[in-house]
Coordinates of all heavy atoms in Angstrom, one line a residue:
M1 N 0.8 -1.2 0.0 CA 0.0 0.0 -0.1 C 0.9 1.2 0.0 O 0.6 2.3 -0.8 CB -0.9 0.0 1.3 CG -2.2 0.9 1.1 SD -2.9 1.1 -0.5 CE -4.2 0.0 -0.3
E2 N 2.0 1.2 0.8 CA 2.9 2.3 0.9 C 3.5 2.5 -0.5 O 3.8 3.6 -0.9 CB 4.0 2.0 2.0 CG 5.0 3.1 2.1 CD 4.5 4.3 2.8 OE1 3.4 4.3 3.5 OE2 5.1 5.4 2.5
Q3 N 3.9 1.4 -1.1 CA 4.5 1.5 -2.4 C 3.7 2.0 -3.5 O 4.0 2.8 -4.3 CB 4.9 0.0 -2.8 CG 5.7 0.1 -4.2 CD 6.6 -1.1 -4.3 OE1 6.8 -1.8 -3.3 NE2 7.0 -1.4 -5.5
L4 N 2.3 1.7 -3.4 CA 1.4 2.3 -4.3 C 1.3 3.8 -4.2 O 1.1 4.6 -5.2 CB 0.0 1.7 -4.0 CG -1.0 1.4 -5.2 CD1 -0.3 0.4 -6.1 CD2 -2.2 0.9 -4.7
F5 N 1.3 4.3 -3.0 CA 1.3 5.7 -2.6 C 2.6 6.4 -3.3 O 2.3 7.5 -4.0 CB 1.4 5.9 -1.2 CG 1.5 7.3 -0.7 CD1 0.4 8.3 -0.6 CD2 2.8 7.9 -0.4 CE1 0.5 9.6 -0.3 CE2 2.9 9.2 0.0 CZ 1.8 10.0 0.0
V6 N 3.7 5.8 -3.1 CA 4.9 6.3 -3.7 C 4.8 6.3 -5.2 O 5.1 7.4 -5.9 CB 6.1 5.5 -3.3 CG1 7.4 6.0 -4.0 CG2 6.3 5.7 -1.8
E7 N 4.3 5.2 -5.8 CA 4.3 5.2 -7.3 C 3.3 6.2 -7.9 O 3.6 6.8 -8.8 CB 3.8 3.8 -7.7 CG 4.9 2.7 -7.7 CD 4.4 1.4 -8.2 OE1 3.6 1.4 -9.2 OE2 4.9 0.4 -7.7
K8 N 2.2 6.3 -7.2 CA 1.2 7.3 -7.6 C 1.7 8.8 -7.6 O 1.5 9.5 -8.5 CB -0.1 7.2 -6.6 CG -1.4 7.6 -7.3 CD -2.5 7.3 -6.3 CE -2.9 8.6 -5.7 NZ -4.1 8.4 -4.8
N9 N 2.4 9.1 -6.6 CA 3.0 10.4 -6.5 C 4.1 10.7 -7.4 O 4.4 11.8 -7.9 CB 3.4 10.8 -5.0 CG 2.1 11.0 -4.2 OD1 1.7 12.1 -4.2 ND2 1.7 10.0 -3.4
I10 N 5.0 9.6 -7.6 CA 6.1 9.8 -8.6 C 5.5 10.0 -10.0 O 5.9 10.9 -10.7 CB 6.9 8.4 -8.6 CG1 7.8 8.4 -7.3 CG2 7.8 8.4 -9.9 CD1 8.6 7.2 -7.2
L11 N 4.4 9.3 -10.3 CA 3.7 9.4 -11.6 C 3.2 10.8 -11.7 O 3.3 11.5 -12.8 CB 2.7 8.4 -11.7 CG 2.0 8.2 -13.2 CD1 3.1 7.6 -14.1 CD2 0.9 7.3 -13.2
A12 N 2.5 11.4 -10.6 CA 1.9 12.6 -10.6 C 3.0 13.8 -10.9 O 2.9 14.7 -11.6 CB 1.1 12.9 -9.4
A13 N 4.2 13.5 -10.2 CA 5.2 14.5 -10.3 C 5.9 14.5 -11.6 O 6.1 15.6 -12.3 CB 6.3 14.2 -9.2
S14 N 6.0 13.3 -12.2 CA 6.6 13.2 -13.6 C 5.7 13.8 -14.7 O 6.1 14.4 -15.5 CB 6.7 11.7 -13.9 OG 7.3 11.5 -15.2
E15 N 4.4 13.6 -14.4 CA 3.4 14.2 -15.4 C 3.5 15.7 -15.4 O 3.4 16.3 -16.4 CB 1.9 13.7 -15.1 CG 1.6 12.4 -15.6 CD 0.2 11.9 -15.1 OE1 -0.4 12.7 -14.5 OE2 -0.1 10.8 -15.5
R16 N 3.6 16.3 -14.1 CA 3.6 17.7 -14.0 C 4.9 18.3 -14.6 O 4.9 19.3 -15.2 CB 3.4 18.1 -12.6 CG 2.0 18.1 -12.2 CD 1.6 18.0 -10.7 NE 0.3 17.8 -10.5 CZ -0.4 16.8 -10.7 NH1 0.1 15.7 -11.3 NH2 -1.8 16.7 -10.4
L17 N 6.0 17.6 -14.3 CA 7.3 18.1 -14.9 C 7.3 18.0 -16.5 O 7.7 19.0 -17.1 CB 8.4 17.1 -14.4 CG 8.9 17.4 -13.0 CD1 10.0 16.2 -12.6 CD2 9.6 18.8 -12.9
G18 N 6.6 17.0 -17.0 CA 6.4 16.8 -18.5 C 5.7 18.0 -19.0 O 6.0 18.6 -20.0
I19 N 4.6 18.4 -18.4 CA 3.7 19.5 -18.7 C 4.5 20.8 -18.7 O 4.6 21.6 -19.6 CB 2.5 19.7 -17.9 CG1 1.6 18.5 -18.2 CG2 1.7 20.9 -18.2 CD1 0.5 18.3 -17.2
A20 N 5.4 21.0 -17.6 CA 6.1 22.2 -17.4 C 7.2 22.3 -18.4 O 7.4 23.3 -19.0 CB 6.8 22.2 -16.0
Q21 N 7.8 21.2 -18.9 CA 8.8 21.2 -19.9 C 8.1 21.5 -21.3 O 8.7 22.3 -22.0 CB 9.5 19.9 -20.0 CG 10.8 19.9 -20.8 CD 11.4 18.6 -21.0 OE1 10.9 17.5 -20.6 NE2 12.7 18.6 -21.5
E22 N 7.0 20.9 -21.5 CA 6.3 21.3 -22.8 C 6.0 22.8 -22.9 O 6.2 23.4 -23.9 CB 5.0 20.5 -22.8 CG 5.2 19.0 -23.4 CD 3.9 18.3 -23.4 OE1 2.8 18.9 -23.3 OE2 3.9 17.1 -23.3
Q23 N 5.5 23.3 -21.7 CA 5.2 24.7 -21.7 C 6.5 25.7 -21.9 O 6.5 26.6 -22.7 CB 4.5 25.1 -20.3 CG 3.2 24.5 -20.3 CD 2.5 24.7 -18.9 OE1 3.2 24.9 -17.9 NE2 1.3 24.7 -18.8
L24 N 7.6 25.2 -21.3 CA 8.8 25.9 -21.5 C 9.3 25.8 -22.9 O 9.7 26.9 -23.5 CB 9.9 25.4 -20.6 CG 10.0 26.0 -19.2 CD1 11.3 25.3 -18.5 CD2 10.2 27.5 -19.3
D25 N 9.2 24.6 -23.5 CA 9.7 24.4 -24.9 C 8.9 25.2 -25.8 O 9.3 25.8 -26.8 CB 9.6 22.9 -25.2 CG 10.7 22.1 -24.6 OD1 11.6 22.8 -24.1 OD2 10.6 20.9 -24.6
A26 N 7.5 25.3 -25.6 CA 6.6 26.1 -26.4 C 7.0 27.6 -26.3 O 6.9 28.3 -27.3 CB 5.2 26.0 -26.0
A27 N 7.4 28.1 -25.1 CA 7.8 29.4 -24.9 C 9.1 29.7 -25.6 O 9.3 30.8 -26.2 CB 7.9 29.7 -23.4
I28 N 10.0 28.7 -25.6 CA 11.3 28.9 -26.3 C 11.0 29.1 -27.8 O 11.6 29.9 -28.5 CB 12.2 27.7 -26.1 CG1 12.7 27.7 -24.6 CG2 13.4 27.7 -27.0 CD1 13.3 26.4 -24.2
Q29 N 10.1 28.3 -28.3 CA 9.7 28.4 -29.7 C 9.2 29.7 -30.2 O 9.5 30.2 -31.2 CB 8.7 27.2 -30.1 CG 9.2 25.8 -30.0 CD 10.1 25.4 -31.1 OE1 10.0 25.8 -32.2 NE2 11.2 24.8 -30.7
A30 N 8.3 30.2 -29.2 CA 7.7 31.5 -29.5 C 8.7 32.7 -29.3 O 8.4 33.8 -29.8 CB 6.5 31.7 -28.6
Y31 N 9.8 32.4 -28.6 CA 10.7 33.4 -28.3 C 11.5 34.0 -29.5 O 11.9 33.2 -30.4 CB 11.7 33.0 -27.3 CG 11.4 33.5 -25.8 CD1 10.1 33.4 -25.4 CD2 12.4 33.8 -25.0 CE1 9.8 33.8 -24.1 CE2 12.0 34.2 -23.7 CZ 10.7 34.2 -23.2 OH 10.4 34.6 -22.0
D32 N 11.9 35.2 -29.4 CA 12.8 35.8 -30.3 C 14.2 35.3 -29.8 O 14.5 35.4 -28.6 CB 12.8 37.3 -30.3 CG 13.8 37.9 -31.1 OD1 14.7 37.3 -31.6 OD2 13.7 39.2 -31.4
A33 N 15.0 34.6 -30.7 CA 16.2 34.0 -30.3 C 17.2 34.9 -29.8 O 18.2 34.5 -29.0 CB 16.8 33.1 -31.4
S34 N 17.0 36.1 -30.1 CA 18.0 37.2 -29.7 C 17.7 37.7 -28.2 O 18.5 38.4 -27.7 CB 18.0 38.4 -30.7 OG 16.7 39.0 -30.5
R35 N 16.6 37.3 -27.7 CA 16.3 37.6 -26.3 C 17.4 37.1 -25.3 O 17.8 36.0 -25.5 CB 14.9 37.2 -25.9 CG 13.8 38.1 -26.3 CD 12.5 37.7 -25.7 NE 12.5 37.8 -24.3 CZ 11.4 38.1 -23.6 NH1 10.3 38.3 -24.2 NH2 11.5 38.2 -22.3
P36 N 17.9 37.9 -24.4 CA 19.0 37.5 -23.6 C 18.6 36.4 -22.6 O 19.5 35.6 -22.1 CB 19.3 38.8 -22.8 CG 18.1 39.7 -22.9 CD 17.5 39.3 -24.2
D37 N 17.4 36.3 -22.2 CA 17.0 35.2 -21.3 C 16.7 33.8 -21.8 O 16.3 32.9 -21.2 CB 15.9 35.7 -20.4 CG 14.7 36.1 -21.1 OD1 14.8 36.3 -22.4 OD2 13.6 36.4 -20.6
V38 N 16.8 33.8 -23.2 CA 16.4 32.5 -23.9 C 17.2 31.3 -23.5 O 16.8 30.2 -23.2 CB 16.3 32.7 -25.4 CG1 17.6 32.7 -26.1 CG2 15.5 31.5 -26.0
E39 N 18.6 31.7 -23.2 CA 19.4 30.6 -22.8 C 19.1 30.1 -21.4 O 19.3 28.9 -21.1 CB 21.0 31.2 -22.8 CG 21.5 31.3 -24.2 CD 21.4 29.9 -25.0 OE1 21.7 28.9 -24.4 OE2 21.0 29.9 -26.2
A40 N 18.7 31.0 -20.5 CA 18.3 30.6 -19.2 C 17.0 29.7 -19.2 O 17.0 28.7 -18.5 CB 17.9 31.8 -18.3
I41 N 16.1 30.0 -20.1 CA 14.9 29.1 -20.2 C 15.3 27.8 -20.8 O 14.8 26.7 -20.3 CB 13.9 29.9 -21.1 CG1 13.4 31.1 -20.3 CG2 12.6 28.9 -21.4 CD1 12.3 31.9 -21.0
K42 N 16.2 27.9 -21.8 CA 16.7 26.5 -22.3 C 17.4 25.7 -21.2 O 17.1 24.5 -21.1 CB 17.7 26.8 -23.5 CG 16.9 27.1 -24.8 CD 18.0 27.3 -25.9 CE 17.3 27.7 -27.2 NZ 18.3 28.1 -28.3
G43 N 18.1 26.4 -20.3 CA 18.7 25.7 -19.2 C 17.7 25.1 -18.3 O 17.9 23.9 -17.8
A44 N 16.6 25.8 -18.1 CA 15.6 25.3 -17.1 C 14.9 24.2 -17.7 O 14.6 23.2 -17.0 CB 14.6 26.5 -16.9
S45 N 14.7 24.1 -19.0 CA 14.1 23.0 -19.8 C 15.0 21.8 -19.6 O 14.5 20.7 -19.4 CB 13.8 23.4 -21.2 OG 13.3 22.3 -21.9
E46 N 16.2 22.1 -19.8 CA 17.2 21.0 -19.7 C 17.2 20.3 -18.2 O 17.2 19.1 -18.1 CB 18.6 21.4 -20.0 CG 19.7 20.4 -20.1 CD 19.4 19.2 -21.1 OE1 18.6 19.5 -22.0 OE2 20.0 18.1 -20.9
R47 N 17.1 21.3 -17.2 CA 17.0 20.7 -15.8 C 15.8 19.9 -15.6 O 15.8 18.8 -14.9 CB 17.1 21.8 -14.9 CG 18.3 22.7 -14.7 CD 19.6 21.9 -14.3 NE 20.3 21.4 -15.5 CZ 21.0 22.0 -16.5 NH1 21.2 23.3 -16.3 NH2 21.5 21.4 -17.4
L48 N 14.7 20.3 -16.2 CA 13.4 19.6 -16.1 C 13.5 18.2 -16.6 O 13.0 17.3 -16.2 CB 12.3 20.4 -16.8 CG 11.6 21.4 -16.0 CD1 10.7 22.2 -16.9 CD2 10.8 20.8 -14.8
R49 N 14.2 18.2 -17.8 CA 14.4 16.9 -18.5 C 15.2 15.9 -17.6 O 14.9 14.8 -17.5 CB 15.2 17.1 -19.9 CG 15.0 16.0 -20.8 CD 15.9 16.2 -22.0 NE 17.3 16.3 -21.7 CZ 18.1 15.2 -21.5 NH1 17.6 14.0 -21.6 NH2 19.4 15.3 -21.2
E50 N 16.3 16.5 -17.0 CA 17.1 15.7 -16.0 C 16.3 15.2 -14.9 O 16.4 14.1 -14.4 CB 18.3 16.5 -15.6 CG 19.4 16.8 -16.7 CD 20.4 17.7 -16.4 OE1 20.3 18.4 -15.2 OE2 21.2 18.1 -17.2
A51 N 15.4 16.1 -14.4 CA 14.6 15.7 -13.2 C 13.6 14.6 -13.6 O 13.5 13.6 -12.8 CB 13.8 16.9 -12.7
R52 N 13.1 14.6 -14.7 CA 12.2 13.5 -15.2 C 13.0 12.2 -15.4 O 12.4 11.1 -15.1 CB 11.5 14.0 -16.6 CG 10.6 15.0 -16.4 CD 10.1 15.5 -17.7 NE 9.2 14.5 -18.4 CZ 8.9 14.5 -19.7 NH1 9.3 15.5 -20.4 NH2 8.2 13.7 -20.1
L53 N 14.2 12.3 -15.8 CA 15.1 11.2 -15.8 C 15.4 10.6 -14.6 O 15.3 9.3 -14.4 CB 16.4 11.5 -16.6 CG 17.1 10.5 -17.4 CD1 16.3 10.2 -18.7 CD2 18.5 11.1 -17.9
C54 N 15.6 11.5 -13.5 CA 15.8 10.9 -12.2 C 14.6 10.2 -11.7 O 14.7 9.1 -11.0 CB 16.1 12.1 -11.2 SG 17.6 12.9 -11.5
I55 N 13.4 10.8 -11.9 CA 12.1 10.2 -11.5 C 12.0 8.8 -12.2 O 11.6 7.9 -11.5 CB 11.0 11.2 -11.8 CG1 11.0 12.3 -10.8 CG2 9.7 10.4 -11.8 CD1 9.9 13.4 -11.1
E56 N 12.3 8.8 -13.5 CA 12.2 7.5 -14.2 C 13.1 6.4 -13.6 O 12.7 5.3 -13.5 CB 12.6 7.8 -15.6 CG 12.1 6.7 -16.6 CD 12.3 7.1 -18.1 OE1 11.9 8.2 -18.5 OE2 13.1 6.3 -18.6
Q57 N 14.3 6.8 -13.2 CA 15.2 5.9 -12.5 C 14.7 5.5 -11.2 O 14.9 4.3 -10.8 CB 16.6 6.5 -12.5 CG 17.4 6.5 -13.8 CD 18.6 7.3 -13.8 OE1 18.9 8.1 -12.8 NE2 19.4 7.4 -14.9
I58 N 14.1 6.3 -10.5 CA 13.5 5.9 -9.1 C 12.4 5.0 -9.4 O 12.3 3.9 -8.8 CB 13.0 7.1 -8.4 CG1 14.1 8.1 -7.9 CG2 12.1 6.7 -7.2 CD1 13.6 9.4 -7.5
Q59 N 11.6 5.2 -10.5 CA 10.5 4.3 -10.8 C 11.0 2.9 -11.1 O 10.4 1.9 -10.8 CB 9.6 4.9 -11.9 CG 8.5 4.1 -12.4 CD 7.4 4.1 -11.3 OE1 6.8 5.2 -11.1 NE2 7.1 3.0 -10.8
Q60 N 12.1 2.9 -11.9 CA 12.7 1.6 -12.3 C 13.2 0.9 -11.1 O 13.1 -0.3 -11.0 CB 13.7 1.8 -13.3 CG 13.2 2.1 -14.7 CD 14.3 2.5 -15.7 OE1 15.5 2.4 -15.4 NE2 13.9 2.9 -16.9
H61 N 13.8 1.6 -10.1 CA 14.4 1.0 -9.0 C 13.2 0.4 -8.1 O 13.4 -0.7 -7.7 CB 15.1 2.1 -8.2 CG 15.6 1.6 -6.9 ND1 16.7 0.9 -6.7 CD2 15.1 1.7 -5.6 CE1 16.8 0.6 -5.4 NE2 15.9 1.1 -4.7
I62 N 12.1 1.1 -8.0 CA 11.0 0.6 -7.3 C 10.4 -0.6 -8.0 O 10.2 -1.6 -7.3 CB 9.9 1.7 -7.2 CG1 10.3 2.8 -6.3 CG2 8.5 1.2 -6.7 CD1 9.5 4.0 -6.2
D63 N 10.3 -0.6 -9.3 CA 9.8 -1.8 -10.0 C 10.7 -3.0 -9.8 O 10.2 -4.1 -9.6 CB 9.7 -1.4 -11.5 CG 8.6 -0.5 -11.9 OD1 7.7 -0.3 -11.0 OD2 8.6 0.0 -13.0
A64 N 12.0 -2.7 -9.9 CA 12.9 -3.8 -9.7 C 12.9 -4.4 -8.3 O 13.0 -5.6 -8.1 CB 14.4 -3.2 -9.9
S65 N 12.8 -3.6 -7.3 CA 12.6 -4.0 -5.9 C 11.3 -4.8 -5.6 O 11.2 -5.6 -4.8 CB 13.0 -3.0 -4.8 OG 12.3 -1.8 -5.1
A66 N 10.3 -4.3 -6.4 CA 8.9 -4.9 -6.3 C 9.0 -6.4 -6.7 O 8.2 -7.2 -6.2 CB 7.9 -4.1 -7.1
E67 N 9.9 -6.7 -7.6 CA 10.1 -8.0 -8.1 C 10.5 -9.0 -6.9 O 10.2 -10.2 -6.9 CB 11.1 -8.1 -9.2 CG 10.6 -7.4 -10.5 CD 9.3 -8.0 -11.1 OE1 9.2 -9.3 -11.1 OE2 8.4 -7.2 -11.5
V68 N 11.3 -8.4 -6.0 CA 11.8 -9.2 -5.0 C 10.8 -9.6 -4.0 O 10.8 -10.7 -3.4 CB 13.0 -8.4 -4.2 CG1 13.6 -9.2 -3.1 CG2 14.0 -8.1 -5.2
V69 N 9.8 -8.7 -3.6 CA 8.7 -8.9 -2.8 C 7.6 -9.1 -3.6 O 6.8 -8.1 -3.9 CB 8.7 -7.9 -1.7 CG1 7.6 -8.2 -0.7 CG2 10.0 -7.6 -1.1
P70 N 7.2 -10.2 -4.1 CA 6.1 -10.4 -5.0 C 4.7 -10.3 -4.4 O 4.5 -11.2 -3.6 CB 6.3 -11.7 -5.7 CG 7.2 -12.5 -4.9 CD 7.8 -11.5 -3.9
A71 N 4.0 -9.3 -4.6 CA 2.6 -9.3 -4.2 C 1.8 -9.7 -5.5 O 1.3 -8.9 -6.2 CB 2.2 -7.9 -3.8
K72 N 1.7 -11.0 -5.7 CA 1.1 -11.5 -6.8 C -0.1 -12.5 -6.5 O -0.2 -12.9 -5.4 CB 2.1 -12.3 -7.7 CG 3.4 -11.5 -7.9 CD 3.5 -11.0 -9.4 CE 4.6 -10.1 -9.5 NZ 5.4 -10.2 -10.8
R73 N -0.8 -12.7 -7.5 CA -1.9 -13.7 -7.4 C -2.2 -14.1 -8.9 O -1.8 -13.6 -9.7 CB -3.2 -13.0 -6.7 CG -3.7 -11.9 -7.6 CD -4.8 -11.2 -6.8 NE -5.1 -9.9 -7.5 CZ -6.3 -9.5 -7.7 NH1 -7.4 -10.3 -7.4 NH2 -6.7 -8.4 -8.3
N74 N -3.2 -15.1 -8.9 CA -3.5 -15.6 -10.1 C -4.9 -14.9 -10.6 O -5.8 -14.7 -9.8 CB -3.7 -17.2 -10.1 CG -2.4 -17.8 -9.8 OD1 -1.3 -17.3 -10.2 ND2 -2.4 -18.9 -9.1
C75 N -4.9 -14.7 -12.0 CA -6.1 -14.1 -12.5 C -7.2 -15.2 -12.4 O -7.0 -16.4 -12.8 CB -5.8 -13.8 -14.0 SG -7.4 -13.4 -14.9
P76 N -8.4 -14.7 -11.9 CA -9.5 -15.8 -11.7 C -10.0 -16.3 -13.1 O -10.5 -17.4 -13.1 CB -10.5 -15.0 -11.0 CG -10.2 -13.5 -11.2 CD -8.7 -13.5 -11.4
A77 N -9.7 -15.6 -14.2 CA -10.3 -16.0 -15.4 C -9.3 -16.9 -16.2 O -9.7 -18.0 -16.6 CB -10.6 -14.7 -16.3
C78 N -8.0 -16.5 -16.3 CA -7.1 -17.3 -17.2 C -6.0 -17.9 -16.3 O -5.3 -18.7 -16.9 CB -6.5 -16.3 -18.2 SG -5.3 -15.1 -17.6
G79 N -5.9 -17.6 -15.0 CA -4.9 -18.3 -14.2 C -3.5 -17.8 -14.2 O -2.7 -18.3 -13.5
K80 N -3.2 -16.8 -15.1 CA -1.9 -16.3 -15.1 C -1.6 -15.4 -14.0 O -2.5 -14.9 -13.3 CB -1.7 -15.4 -16.4 CG -2.0 -16.1 -17.7 CD -0.7 -16.3 -18.5 CE -1.0 -16.8 -19.9 NZ 0.2 -17.4 -20.5
T81 N -0.3 -15.3 -13.7 CA 0.1 -14.4 -12.5 C 0.0 -13.0 -12.8 O 0.7 -12.5 -13.8 CB 1.6 -14.8 -12.1 OG1 1.7 -16.3 -12.0 CG2 2.0 -14.2 -10.8
I82 N -0.6 -12.3 -12.0 CA -0.8 -10.8 -12.1 C -0.5 -10.2 -10.8 O -0.4 -10.9 -9.8 CB -2.2 -10.4 -12.6 CG1 -3.3 -11.0 -11.6 CG2 -2.5 -11.0 -14.0 CD1 -4.7 -10.5 -11.9
R83 N -0.3 -8.9 -10.8 CA 0.0 -8.1 -9.5 C -1.3 -8.1 -8.6 O -2.3 -8.1 -9.1 CB 0.3 -6.6 -9.9 CG 1.6 -6.5 -10.6 CD 2.1 -5.1 -10.6 NE 1.0 -4.2 -10.4 CZ 1.2 -2.9 -10.2 NH1 2.4 -2.4 -9.9 NH2 0.2 -2.0 -10.1
A84 N -1.0 -8.2 -7.4 CA -2.1 -8.3 -6.3 C -3.0 -7.1 -6.5 O -4.2 -7.1 -6.3 CB -1.6 -8.4 -5.0
Q85 N -2.4 -5.9 -6.8 CA -3.2 -4.6 -6.9 C -3.8 -4.4 -8.2 O -4.5 -3.4 -8.4 CB -2.3 -3.4 -6.5 CG -1.8 -3.4 -5.1 CD -0.3 -4.0 -5.1 OE1 0.1 -4.7 -5.9 NE2 0.4 -3.6 -4.0
A86 N -3.6 -5.2 -9.1 CA -4.1 -5.1 -10.5 C -5.6 -5.0 -10.4 O -6.3 -5.7 -9.7 CB -3.7 -6.2 -11.4
T87 N -6.2 -4.2 -11.3 CA -7.7 -4.1 -11.6 C -7.9 -4.6 -12.8 O -9.2 -4.8 -13.2 CB -8.1 -2.6 -11.5 OG1 -7.4 -1.8 -12.3 CG2 -7.9 -2.1 -10.0
L88 N -7.0 -5.0 -13.7 CA -7.3 -5.5 -15.0 C -6.1 -6.6 -15.2 O -5.0 -6.3 -15.0 CB -7.1 -4.4 -16.0 CG -7.8 -4.6 -17.3 CD1 -9.3 -4.6 -17.2 CD2 -7.4 -3.4 -18.2
C89 N -6.6 -7.7 -15.7 CA -5.6 -8.8 -16.0 C -4.9 -8.5 -17.3 O -5.4 -8.0 -18.3 CB -6.2 -10.1 -16.2 SG -5.1 -11.4 -16.8
G90 N -3.5 -8.4 -17.2 CA -2.7 -7.9 -18.4 C -2.6 -9.0 -19.5 O -2.1 -8.7 -20.6
Y91 N -3.2 -10.2 -19.2 CA -3.1 -11.2 -20.3 C -4.5 -11.4 -21.0 O -4.5 -11.5 -22.2 CB -2.7 -12.6 -19.6 CG -1.4 -12.5 -19.0 CD1 -1.2 -12.2 -17.6 CD2 -0.2 -12.8 -19.7 CE1 0.0 -12.3 -17.0 CE2 1.0 -12.7 -19.1 CZ 1.1 -12.5 -17.9 OH 2.4 -12.5 -17.3
C92 N -5.6 -11.4 -20.2 CA -6.9 -11.6 -20.8 C -7.8 -10.5 -20.7 O -8.9 -10.5 -21.2 CB -7.5 -12.9 -20.2 SG -8.1 -12.7 -18.5
W93 N -7.3 -9.3 -20.0 CA -8.0 -8.1 -19.8 C -9.4 -8.2 -19.1 O -10.2 -7.4 -19.2 CB -8.3 -7.5 -21.3 CG -7.1 -7.2 -22.0 CD1 -6.5 -7.9 -23.0 CD2 -6.1 -6.1 -21.8 NE1 -5.3 -7.3 -23.4 CE2 -5.0 -6.2 -22.7 CE3 -6.1 -5.1 -20.8 CZ2 -4.0 -5.4 -22.5 CZ3 -5.0 -4.2 -20.8 CH2 -4.0 -4.3 -21.7
T94 N -9.5 -9.3 -18.3 CA -10.6 -9.4 -17.4 C -10.4 -8.4 -16.3 O -9.4 -8.2 -15.7 CB -10.7 -10.8 -16.8 OG1 -10.8 -11.8 -17.9 CG2 -11.8 -11.0 -15.9
K95 N -11.5 -7.7 -15.9 CA -11.5 -6.8 -14.8 C -11.6 -7.7 -13.5 O -12.4 -8.5 -13.4 CB -12.8 -5.9 -14.8 CG -12.6 -4.7 -15.8 CD -13.7 -3.7 -15.6 CE -13.6 -2.5 -16.6 NZ -14.7 -1.7 -16.6
V96 N -10.6 -7.3 -12.6 CA -10.5 -8.1 -11.4 C -10.6 -7.1 -10.3 O -10.2 -5.9 -10.4 CB -9.3 -8.9 -11.3 CG1 -9.4 -10.1 -12.3 CG2 -8.0 -8.2 -11.6
S97 N -11.1 -7.4 -9.1 CA -11.1 -6.6 -8.0 C -9.8 -6.6 -7.3 O -9.3 -7.7 -7.1 CB -12.3 -6.9 -7.1 OG -12.8 -8.2 -7.2
P98 N -9.2 -5.4 -7.0 CA -7.9 -5.5 -6.4 C -7.9 -6.1 -5.0 O -8.8 -6.0 -4.3 CB -7.5 -4.0 -6.2 CG -8.7 -3.2 -6.5 CD -9.7 -4.1 -7.2
A99 N -6.8 -6.9 -4.8 CA -6.7 -7.6 -3.5 C -6.6 -6.5 -2.3 O -5.9 -5.5 -2.5 CB -5.5 -8.6 -3.5
S100 N -7.2 -6.8 -1.2 CA -7.1 -5.9 -0.1 C -5.9 -6.1 0.8 O -5.4 -7.3 0.8 CB -8.5 -5.9 0.7 OG -8.8 -7.3 1.0
Ligands
ZN1 ZN1 -6.5 -13.1 -17.0

């Protein structure tokens, strides 16, 4: 449950950083290249990109450690192994109620 909270917030942070970067990139496009602050904005966009990369690496680390502690169960429809928190079987797409 704690892990779900972390994953959810990492995803939310990543999405917002992505939006911020898109907005900055759009601003850079609209800018006159001769403006003195365009380099600073390009730098900010680059830092955002790096932050998103950091978040992605954290996500991968969490995913990797989640494999060590498997919260798994079998799909009631097809019997394949799925995540305990899954609401949809990744194999047969049957909707399943998440394990409590
Ligand atoms: Zn299934």
Side-chain angles (χ1 to χ4, degrees):
M1 196 41 99
E2 181 69 21
Q3 185 155 340
L4 215 59
F5 173 83
V6 173
E7 280 185 36
K8 207 175 101 180
N9 281 281
I10 285 176
L11 194 67
S14 179
E15 277 174 6
R16 278 156 185 75
L17 282 175
I19 292 166
Q21 194 184 10
E22 276 173 24
Q23 289 171 338
L24 268 185
D25 288 346
I28 292 167
Q29 292 294 315
Y31 260 41
D32 180 345
S34 64
R35 275 186 66 147
D37 53 352
V38 73
E39 283 307 316
I41 293 178
K42 279 181 183 171
S45 174
E46 184 62 20
R47 297 295 89 72
L48 277 173
R49 198 186 64 79
E50 288 167 0
R52 290 172 71 195
L53 212 63
C54 291
I55 287 177
E56 202 176 297
Q57 281 167 357
I58 292 168
Q59 183 70 63
Q60 280 172 10
H61 175 77
I62 288 173
D63 287 347
S65 49
E67 295 297 320
V68 180
V69 186
K72 307 252 169 141
R73 64 187 167 131
N74 295 331
C75 169
C78 71
K80 298 250 192 199
T81 306
I82 58 173
R83 293 196 330 168
Q85 295 97 339
T87 54
L88 199 68
C89 173
Y91 298 94
C92 68
W93 300 102
T94 298
K95 278 188 183 174
V96 292
S97 23
S100 51

